[in-house]
Amino acid sequence: MGIRMLSQTKHFTPRETKLGLVKSLLIPKLDYCSNIYLGASRAAWKEIELAYNSCIRYIFDRRRYESVSQYKSNVVGSSIENFLKYRACLFIYNLLRYKQPEYLYEKIIFTKSLRNRVLQIPSHLRSQYL
């Protein structure tokens, strides 16, 4: 819906403004809950990729079936899948380093053995993890 509203003025808006609008209005919607996307199926990733391609078509004035692969790195620096994986890695780093959010950090179980320093995440067997 957001891209449809923006596309009404795409002929009057300069490319830099379109890029700014996409980065501030649409990419955060794709980035929201990006940590959940890591376990998504290929079909779900395809839907996310299609939304991202629509944003690229809006910015660079491309038609519906034109290839946008050459423009993908101009928006977020990589493909949307790699961008969302990067964001998930940042979330995990901040979780382990700064212990924020605290309620998630408390769910992590660290092993005591120096030989086997593996991070174990508990499975969701009870309603308290939902």
Side-chain angles (χ1 to χ4, degrees):
M1 185 66 179
I3 197 74
R4 181 170 287 244
M5 293 182 70
L6 288 176
S7 65
Q8 294 175 357
T9 61
K10 71 179 179 181
H11 300 295
F12 311 113
T13 311
R15 183 176 294 162
E16 294 80 24
T17 306
K18 288 190 247 184
L19 181 63
L21 287 170
V22 167
K23 282 185 174 182
S24 63
L25 297 175
L26 301 176
I27 297 297
K29 290 181 181 182
L30 294 175
D31 188 31
Y32 182 72
C33 292
S34 62
N35 302 328
I36 297 172
Y37 296 151
L38 294 179
S41 66
R42 271 290 122 196
W45 275 111
K46 183 119 177 119
E47 293 293 323
I48 295 166
E49 190 74 29
L50 288 174
Y52 182 60
N53 289 347
S54 295
C55 294
I56 294 171
R57 285 189 181 92
Y58 165 73
I59 295 169
F60 295 102
D61 294 322
R62 297 290 162 223
R63 296 189 193 269
R64 184 174 183 163
Y65 296 108
E66 288 185 54
S67 175
V68 294
S69 58
Q70 61 194 13
Y71 303 107
K72 286 185 178 185
S73 64
N74 294 344
V75 180
V76 292
S78 66
S79 69
I80 194 68
E81 186 173 357
N82 288 339
F83 175 71
L84 294 176
K85 286 179 182 179
Y86 170 74
R87 296 282 297 169
C89 289
L90 286 177
F91 175 76
I92 292 169
Y93 173 77
N94 287 330
L95 178 66
L96 295 175
R97 170 111 178 161
Y98 302 111
K99 301 176 184 173
Q100 294 294 326
E102 197 171 311
Y103 68 93
L104 285 179
Y105 184 77
E106 292 173 355
K107 302 287 183 195
I108 299 174
I109 301 168
F110 296 97
T111 60
K112 303 282 184 196
S113 171
L114 294 176
R115 186 173 182 200
N116 186 14
R117 295 193 69 133
V118 178
L119 178 68
Q120 295 179 354
I121 300 174
S123 59
H124 304 285
L125 298 176
R126 298 185 188 140
S127 62
Q128 70 185 27
Y129 291 112
L130 299 176

